[in-house]
């Protein structure tokens, strides 16, 4: 597969460069600048990312540019400044602010990188340093009013660089520039598509796994479902899936999802472990303790089920690219490894090898692959749901009775979102059971019952989120239905906090 290598110097935008290149149907990989891969013949070019550091810092990233001049290179922001500084030019602290929108008032129309870029095109600057002077062979290809050396090409090489960020939305012709680089300059064929991914992955999995057995934990989420479908296509019934009912799922979710997995032909064992989870959670109120108890119980249950499958050699996981990048980034392994990958914590004695067919995909690509594999829209378009499930939406201790109440409330909320065509507009929604009671009046009776909060957010990746402006009429209808139908609840609130400073889940 033709590949573009992106060397990461720690910029917050590095993943975005990769996503834009993938959008152009060109395969690319991100690697830390200080741990670059061995280049295969398939590497067609290199992109040097931005960085939060200044090239003038003592410990600034210092990639080895052995490939410069041998293949096309595109330096972005820090990458552009580094190639100037390393080869005899000068980079200084900028006197004026070079942050935010700017317009190109000079564009070299002959430049291959800038083909199709409109006059005055808007670009996004984000740097405290600026290129003051450049080595002789560096030729300016674009400027803004305040930044003369906004972009350059090195003569005699296919090396280009720009101080602005083509990958961000505000750089209007940014995608055109990236396309010019990867397609025209590097010569990539744009044949990285979900179909080609499915085909090559299945072939690779067949070679790798041969007649071995694989066990995989399904969660009902998109990632594990797509991973299972791919593995199933490759090795058929040698894939053994385990889907655990932890008693913390949504109303009827276990039965429905299990049925749809079976409908897809997957060899899946449904395990009713509600009792184990409830007893592990008994009396626990601290959110972290609840999470830990759930994680440990999951491993115990999964382990016991997996041990029943004879001669299993591999553990399948739905790990996706952002998790991989996070754990090998410039800054080192992240401290916040997501707990839904808790199957990774399986006991050593199981000695299973790990197979992760989605390791190279971004979330939107996982969805496209899922669609190509025939995964139904109900599964593909599902809102994210946390591994610890309703346990982190019931504040305080967990009892089966509280779970049952919350399941009813949640089902009314979600069903109404679907009925009113709002479900797909919301990134994630759910209900929270609060550990308080409030006074109300029903008929002529005074009531003293539970309070629930509804939460609906807009987000791209869950890292930041804003609460959704759901119509008042909708909220009124849902609130009425909850209070009328769910015994034990007499008050409904709507959460209007954004993340940060709040989080999406309450615990
Ligand atoms: P927060 O609450 O951190 O949530 O804003 C961000 C996203 O992550 C989900 N989430 C989890 N997912 N295990 C998971 O699998 C967890 O322990 C967990 N905690 C939060 C949350 O639902 C949201 O989509």
């Amino acid at each position: 597969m033709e590949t573009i290598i992106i060397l990461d110097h720690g910029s917050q935008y590095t993943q975005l460069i990769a996503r834009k290149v993938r959008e152009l149907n060109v395969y690319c990989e991100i690697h830390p600048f200080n741990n670059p891969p061995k280049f295969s013949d398939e590497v067609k070019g290199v992109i040097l990312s931005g960085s939060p550091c200044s090239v003038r810092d003592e410990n600034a990233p210092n990639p080895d540019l052995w490939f410069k001049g041998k293949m096309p290179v595109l330096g972005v922001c820090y990458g552009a400044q580094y190639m100037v500084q390393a080869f005899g030019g000068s980079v200084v602290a900028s006197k004026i602010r070079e942050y935010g929108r700017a317009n190109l008032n000079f564009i070299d129309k002959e430049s291959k990188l800038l083909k199709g870029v409109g006059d005055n095109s808007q670009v996004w600057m984000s740097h405290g340093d600026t290129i003051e002077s450049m080595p002789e062979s560096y030729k300016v290809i674009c400027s803004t009013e305040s930044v003369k050396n906004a972009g350059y090409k090195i003569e005699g090489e296919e090396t280009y660089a720009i101080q602005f960020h083509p990958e961000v939305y505000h750089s209007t012709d940014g995608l055109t520039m990236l396309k010019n680089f990867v397609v025209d300059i590097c010569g990539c064929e744009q044949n990285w598509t979900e179909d080609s991914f499915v085909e090559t992955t299945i072939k690779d999995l067949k070679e790798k796994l041969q007649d071995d057995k694989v066990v995989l934990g399904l969660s009902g989420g998109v990632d594990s479902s797509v991973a299972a479908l791919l593995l199933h296509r490759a090795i058929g019934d040698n894939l053994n899936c385990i889907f655990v009912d932890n008693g913390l799922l949504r109303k009827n979710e276990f039965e429905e999802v299990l049925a749809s997995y079976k409908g897809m032909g997957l060899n899946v064992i449904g395990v009713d472990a509600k009792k184990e989870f409830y007893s592990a959670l008994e009396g626990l109120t601290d959110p972290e303790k609840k999470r830990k108890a759930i994680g440990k119980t999951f491993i115990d249950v999964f382990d016991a089920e997996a041990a029943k499958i004879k001669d299993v050699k591999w553990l399948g996981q739905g790990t996706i690219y952002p998790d991989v990048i996070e754990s090998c980034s410039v800054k080192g392994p992240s401290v916040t490894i997501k707990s839904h990958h808790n199957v990774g914590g399986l006991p050593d004695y199981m000695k299973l090898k790990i197979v992760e067919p989605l390791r190279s995909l971004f979330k939107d690509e996982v969805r496209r692959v899922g669609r190509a594999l025939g995964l139904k829209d109900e599964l593909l378009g599902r809102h994210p749901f946390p591994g610890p499930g309703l346990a982190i939406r019931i504040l305080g201790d967990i009892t089966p009775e509280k779970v049952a109440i919350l399941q009813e409330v949640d089902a009314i909320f979600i069903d109404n979102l679907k009925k009113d065509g709002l479900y797909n507009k919301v990134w994630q929604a759910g209900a929270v059971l609060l550990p308080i009671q409030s006074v109300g009046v029903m008929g002529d009776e005074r009531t003293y019952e539970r309070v629930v909060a509804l939460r609906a957010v807009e987000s791209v990746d869950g890292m930041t989120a804003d609460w959704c402006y759901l119509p008042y009429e909708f909220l009124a209808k849902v609130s009425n239905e909850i209070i009328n139908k769910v015994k034990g609840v007499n008050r409904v609130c709507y959460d209007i906090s954004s993340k940060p400073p709040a989080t999406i889940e309450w615990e």
Side-chain angles (χ1 to χ4, degrees), residues 231-263:
L231 283 161
H232 185 250
R233 284 269 185 102
I235 60 168
D237 276 352
N238 271 341
L239 172 68
N240 296 264
C241 302
I242 297 175
F243 182 32
V244 177
D245 184 356
N246 57 12
L248 305 163
L249 302 173
R250 296 190 135 120
K251 187 180 171 187
N252 298 333
E253 185 173 27
F254 183 70
E255 297 72 18
E256 285 170 16
V257 174
L258 189 60
S260 77
Y261 280 141
K262 288 196 169 149

Side-chain angles (χ1 to χ4, degrees), residues 140-405:
V140 179
I141 55 171
C142 59
S143 313
T144 69
E145 197 181 315
S146 52
V147 185
K148 177 170 174 276
N149 303 317
Y152 62 81
K153 174 181 187 301
I154 302 181
E155 280 173 340
E157 298 179 10
E158 286 302 290
T159 302
Y160 298 79
I162 43 191
Q163 287 203 79
F164 50 87
H165 288 272
E167 67 277 19
V168 307
Y169 168 77
H170 308 282
S171 290
T172 331
D173 290 313
L175 195 60
T176 304
M177 295 179 208
L178 288 172
K179 183 175 179 200
N180 290 342
F181 181 70
V182 298
V183 178
D184 296 346
I185 298 169
C186 298
C188 293
E189 287 203 23
Q190 295 185 282
N191 51 9
W192 162 257
T193 60
E194 48 275 22
D195 289 335
S196 71
F197 172 83
V198 168
E199 198 181 305
T200 48
T201 307
I202 290 174
K203 187 169 148 274
D204 292 350
L205 287 172
K206 275 186 177 153
E207 271 167 27
K208 184 179 199 169
L209 303 171
Q210 310 230 351
D211 292 328
D212 288 355
K213 282 190 186 167
V214 177
V215 60
L216 176 139
L218 286 168
S219 70
V222 180
D223 301 347
S224 64
S225 305
V226 176
L229 282 181
L230 268 173
L231 283 161
H232 185 250
R233 284 269 185 102
I235 60 168
D237 276 352
N238 271 341
L239 172 68
N240 296 264
C241 302
I242 297 175
F243 182 32
V244 177
D245 184 356
N246 57 12
L248 305 163
L249 302 173
R250 296 190 135 120
K251 187 180 171 187
N252 298 333
E253 185 173 27
F254 183 70
E255 297 72 18
E256 285 170 16
V257 174
L258 189 60
S260 77
Y261 280 141
K262 288 196 169 149
M264 290 184 276
L266 293 179
N267 175 11
V268 44
I269 309 163
V271 187
D272 177 356
K274 290 200 277 294
K275 276 203 198 109
E276 284 89 331
F277 282 88
Y278 290 151
S279 82
L281 282 166
E282 208 176 312
L284 296 184
T285 53
D286 178 80
E288 278 312 302
K289 287 199 180 127
K290 290 200 280 188
R291 273 173 204 269
K292 293 221 172 82
I294 293 165
K296 180 177 177 306
T297 311
F298 181 83
I299 290 169
D300 291 347
V301 171
F302 187 86
D303 181 24
E305 284 306 317
K308 292 182 196 160
I309 307 163
K310 270 214 177 117
D311 303 325
V312 62
K313 293 225 170 71
W314 298 82
L315 174 71
Q317 286 192 297
T319 316
I320 66 171
Y321 201 39
D323 306 323
V324 176
I325 304 169
E326 196 165 300
S327 59
C328 64
S329 74
V330 173
K331 297 158 215 141
S334 164
V335 280
T336 49
I337 303 288
K338 288 179 201 156
S339 47
H340 64 281
H341 290 121
N342 47 15
V343 277
L346 280 184
D348 279 350
Y349 64 79
M350 285 193 73
K351 301 226 178 335
L352 295 177
K353 293 184 270 183
I354 306 279
V355 54
E356 301 171 311
L358 310 177
R359 259 184 91 77
S360 63
L361 298 188
F362 286 108
K363 190 88 186 178
D364 52 327
E365 294 175 318
V366 174
R367 289 218 168 85
R368 295 215 301 268
V369 166
R371 193 160 286 126
L373 288 165
L375 194 63
K376 287 196 218 122
D377 281 346
E378 295 106 82
L379 273 178
L380 272 180
R382 295 178 86 199
H383 287 172
F385 187 68
L390 299 181
I392 57 170
R393 294 184 183 166
I394 295 172
L395 276 58
D397 68 326
I398 311 295
T399 63
E401 181 228 350
K402 289 184 188 172
V403 172
I405 292 178

Side-chain angles (χ1 to χ4, degrees), residues 62-82:
N62 54 347
D64 175 1
L65 302 183
W66 63 268
F67 43 79
K68 190 175 89 57
K70 296 192 171 74
M71 64 176 65
V73 175
L74 174 66
V76 171
C77 194
Y78 181 92
Q81 295 169 348
Y82 181 76

Side-chain angles (χ1 to χ4, degrees), residues 403-422:
V403 172
I405 292 178
L406 188 57
Q407 281 177 334
E408 292 304 322
V409 172
D410 177 79
I412 292 174
F413 185 31
I414 300 295
D415 286 349
N416 275 294
L417 283 169
K418 287 184 179 160
K419 256 192 252 160
D420 285 24
L422 292 165

Side-chain angles (χ1 to χ4, degrees), residues 291 338-341 384-388 392-393 427-428 461-463 499 502-507:
R291 273 173 204 269
K338 288 179 201 156
S339 47
H340 64 281
H341 290 121
F385 187 68
I392 57 170
R393 294 184 183 166
W427 191 77
Q428 183 172 13
D461 50 15
M463 305 295 282
K499 171 184 180 176
T503 51
I504 296 176
E505 305 293 346
W506 280 41
E507 286 197 336

